[in-house]
Structures are given as C-alpha cells and as structure tokens.
Amino acid sequence: MLRDTTITLQDISAPGRRESWDSAVSCLQGGRMGVKIELGLTEVRTENGSGERLFCGFLKDLTWRKAREAEILRGESRMKGIVEASFAAMFAVNEEGKILMVNEAAVRRFGYTRDEFLGQNINMICPPEHKHRHDSYLLRYLETGKSRLLGKKGELTAAKKDGTIFPILLGVTEVEYTGKAKMFAAFIEDLTTQKKLLEVEVESAKAEALLLNMLPQDVALRLKKDPGHIADHYPNVAILFADIVGFTKMSSTMSPVEVVKMLNDLFSMFDVLVEKYDLNKVKTIGDCYMVTSHPGVESKVDECIHMCSFGLEMIEALHDYNRRNSSKTMYLRVGINVGPVVAGVRQPSESNGKYGYSRQDPVHKGCAR
C-alpha cells in the first residue's frame, strides 16, 4: 500500500489524459510504515487500435539515499555549530571578494548584522585607507597564484561598523571544494586586549628600569614587593663622593648643552668603572658623583682599598678626558670614608610623587667634606 500520494490511477487514466508521474512515497508493509521508495508511473502508448490503455510503473528503494542525505545534513549541522562556536570572526569569501558566510563572532566583533554582511565586499571591514588595495590583492592572486598572506597569519587593522579601528591577527586560506570558482576563508582575531597588555608590560618594564637606575637593585626589588617605608642600618660601608673642582665657575662660561654633554661624557666613563669594580652607584647631583660598596654584602676584598683603587682610576680617566679635550683642564676632588650607615627610601609626597633613596650618616658627610 502506498501513502503520501495525491494522484490516483483513476486520475491518470481519465479519458483524454496522458502523462508521466513520479514521486517519492512511503510504502506500508504489514500495516506499518516501511521504507521510502521512488515511484514512477507512465502510460505506454500503443498503436494496435484496440483502445486498450497500458501503464508502466517503476519502483526504486530510497533507503540508502535518504540515509546519506540525513548524514550530510547532520555533518552540515555539526560544521555550522563548530563555526558558530568559534571565538574568532570567520568569513567565507568568493573570488570576487563577496561575503558568502559569516559566523556569530564576526557579527559581534564588527557590529553588522548577517544580512548587512552577506553579498557585500569583504573590504567593508578594511580601514578607509586600505579599501582600494584589497581588490587588487585578490586580483593579483587570481592572475598569478602568488600571495604574501594566503596560508599565513599577519597583524593588520580592521574597521567596525561605527568606524572604530582596531588591531587584528588575520589568517586567510583557500578552501578546497568541488566547485569551479575559488573560495577563501578568513579568520580574524581581535588583538585589542593583547596590545593593551603588551603596552602595560612595556610601561612596567620602563618603570622598573627607571627604578633600578634610581635605586640599588635589592632596594628596588623590595620596594616593588612592599612600597612601605624602607630603612636599614649597615655597620660597614665604603662611600666615595667626587666632584669637579671649580665646576660652578667653569659652567657659567658654557652653554647648557655643552655642560650636559661634558657631564654625560665624564659620568659615562665613571659608570664603566663602577661596573668594572662591582660597586653601587647611588646618584649624581650636578657634577657630584656618589658611589658605595654593596651594603650588607660580604666582600672578599678590603672595601677601603678597593674604593681607593676605583677613585684613583676615576682621576686617571679624567686626565685622559683632559688630553682629548685640551680646551678645558679639569680636576677631580674625591673623598672616601668607611663606617656605619643608615640607608632608606623616602616615600613620595603628594606634591611630587617621587621616591628618594639616601644614606644619612657621619661617614657620608665625612667623605663629602
């Protein structure tokens, strides 16, 4: 018995009516719904003049085809679910640059609806200054088969519907399928958050470098962990304090640029010596240069002799500078003392927000004199 059919044999065999008919119907077997079949029915034309009408029927089992169609639909449904679940914005684009498909992430990311996307050129998400280049890139690939971006990832910028420009990571690949025309898939990841985090890391690194330039390394690390008050007492520290004899009078005859260049050249030479002798540069104020041994670190050498050797090499370095710059002859005044010190970090005030690190002690004052 056949079901799902609306044309009967009586309809086909009506006087004066001749036609062919086929349909996919369900076949009942034993009173229960059976398999899907394809039924074809056509009238056979005869010329024997008997007036007898003959019909020919064709039956085809559609079980396998229907199962295959259901499997294809399930696969398409799974693929659509995967595409929609992606965090990255995804576009399918034809060889003309027209958008064939977008996922929900692309809708959220760019602010367009699906209907606004579909059928439009993908350059709608390009910044204004790059729109005219996009089609030429695609055309060049279609003509030459060469592309700098296809199959790779690259950092670019994109534009949202509201005009916002934001950084992206773009990946483009050619889709392999049975159609003759080419199709491309584009995957876009928003790099806004990553870029902001990178900027924070860069600024943090700059701040740390500045802090290490202002404070001894151990003090800077402690300050990062705990920005509270830091004050330490050290029983035995060697301190050197050096300045240029007659600097104030000499600098009054020089331009500011000349003064800064001269001090930069001198202090750069002294910085090299600090590294050589493994000492701790505390600060420079004008022409004054202050260095200590490492507080709280047990030294294998006599710190006083070690600091004196450093001071003598500073003087020799200044003599070398004088020989290279004969226009001015400078002399270095160096004071050294060894003994107990108190070192601390001055907390930033509300007015200037700056940290300060200093050593207040008779030893410091004695070497300065």
Side-chain angles (χ1 to χ4, degrees):
M1 181 176 180
L2 303 178
R3 299 189 62 180
D4 299 336
T5 176
T6 58
I7 300 178
T8 65
L9 187 60
Q10 288 82 1
D11 293 328
I12 298 176
S13 61
R17 180 172 180 177
R18 295 176 180 274
E19 62 179 271
S20 296
W21 173 72
D22 64 88
S23 176
V25 298
S26 299
C27 179
L28 290 178
Q29 294 180 335
R32 295 180 301 174
M33 185 65 71
V35 298
K36 281 281 186 179
I37 63 170
E38 185 177 43
L39 170 63
L41 186 63
T42 184
E43 183 176 359
V44 179
R45 296 178 181 274
T46 62
E47 298 180 357
N48 56 13
S50 64
E52 182 182 13
R53 301 180 68 182
L54 301 177
F55 298 89
C56 182
F58 305 90
L59 296 177
K60 182 179 181 181
D61 188 348
L62 298 182
T63 304
W64 180 87
R65 192 178 81 181
K66 291 298 181 180
R68 180 59 179 162
E69 289 175 352
E71 182 182 349
I72 292 174
L73 289 175
R74 287 194 297 270
E76 290 177 349
S77 178
R78 284 195 299 268
M79 184 59 65
K80 183 178 180 180
I82 293 171
V83 170
E84 292 298 330
S86 172
F87 290 109
M90 299 176 63
F91 295 84
V93 182
N94 66 14
E95 59 187 11
E96 296 177 350
K98 299 295 179 63
I99 299 173
L100 305 177
M101 183 277 294
V102 295
N103 68 347
E104 183 61 27
V107 172
R108 294 195 307 268
R109 190 78 64 209
F110 289 91
Y112 293 96
T113 66
R114 289 181 190 270
D115 289 340
E116 288 175 319
F117 267 132
L118 296 178
Q120 301 300 313
N121 194 303
I122 189 66
N123 67 14
M124 67 187 295
I125 66 172
C126 296
E129 64 272 19
H130 297 311
K131 283 182 180 291
H132 67 283
R133 301 179 186 174
H134 178 269
D135 291 342
S136 63
Y137 296 152
L138 185 56
L139 181 60
R140 186 185 307 119
Y141 171 71
L142 295 174
E143 292 177 347
T144 66
K146 297 180 180 179
S147 172
R148 290 178 294 180
L149 187 60
L150 200 63
K152 302 175 184 177
K153 290 183 177 181
E155 290 190 16
L156 300 169
T157 55
K160 298 182 180 181
K161 183 179 180 179
D162 62 7
T164 303
I165 306 299
F166 65 105
I168 63 169
L169 181 65
L170 172 65
V172 181
T173 183
E174 186 173 345
V175 179
E176 294 185 2
Y177 77 119
T178 55
K180 294 181 179 180
K182 293 182 179 295
M183 186 167 66
F184 306 92
F187 305 86
I188 296 177
E189 181 181 350
D190 188 348
L191 296 182
T192 302
T193 301
Q194 292 91 321
K195 290 293 184 181
K196 288 182 178 179
L197 290 175
L198 182 59
E199 289 176 2
V200 171
E201 291 177 1
V202 170
E203 292 302 319
S204 178
K206 289 181 180 178
E208 183 174 349
L210 181 60
L211 199 62
L212 290 172
N213 190 51
M214 295 169 54
L215 306 174
Q217 183 176 7
D218 60 324
V219 175
L221 294 176
R222 287 170 58 188
L223 192 62
K224 285 180 60 180
K225 295 179 180 178
D226 181 12
H229 293 282
I230 295 179
D232 299 306
H233 175 267
Y234 300 101
N236 191 53
V237 177
I239 298 179
L240 177 145
F241 196 92
D243 64 354
I244 299 171
V245 178
F247 175 78
T248 302
K249 182 179 179 180
M250 178 180 60
S251 62
S252 64
T253 64
M254 303 168 63
S255 69
V257 174
E258 290 175 328
V259 173
V260 172
K261 183 180 184 307
M262 180 187 71
L263 290 177
N264 183 67
D265 292 342
L266 287 175
F267 290 167
S268 294
M269 293 190 303
F270 297 161
D271 290 345
V272 173
L273 295 178
V274 168
E275 294 295 326
K276 174 182 176 181
Y277 281 84
D278 190 24
L279 296 172
N280 175 46
K281 178 183 174 181
V282 178
K283 60 183 176 181
T284 59
I285 304 176
D287 65 315
C288 303
Y289 194 91
M290 183 178 175
V291 178
T292 73
S293 58
H294 291 286
V297 178
E298 185 176 351
S299 176
K300 297 181 181 180
V301 298
D302 187 296
E303 292 188 352
C304 182
I305 296 175
H306 193 65
M307 189 65 76
C308 288
S309 299
F310 169 74
L312 290 173
E313 196 157 345
M314 285 179 72
I315 295 173
E316 183 60 34
L318 181 61
H319 290 166
D320 290 340
Y321 179 86
N322 288 334
R323 284 190 288 269
R324 295 193 305 270
N325 301 271
S326 57
S327 59
K328 290 181 177 62
T329 299
M330 293 182 289
Y331 298 94
L332 194 65
R333 179 168 45 205
V334 179
I336 298 175
N337 206 344
V338 180
V341 299
V342 175
V345 176
R346 178 178 58 81
Q347 295 297 307
S349 64
E350 294 182 0
S351 59
N352 62 20
K354 299 178 180 178
Y355 286 98
Y357 181 76
S358 62
R359 292 178 170 84
Q360 301 297 327
D361 50 79
V363 176
H364 176 202
K365 297 176 181 177
C367 73
R369 294 194 183 98

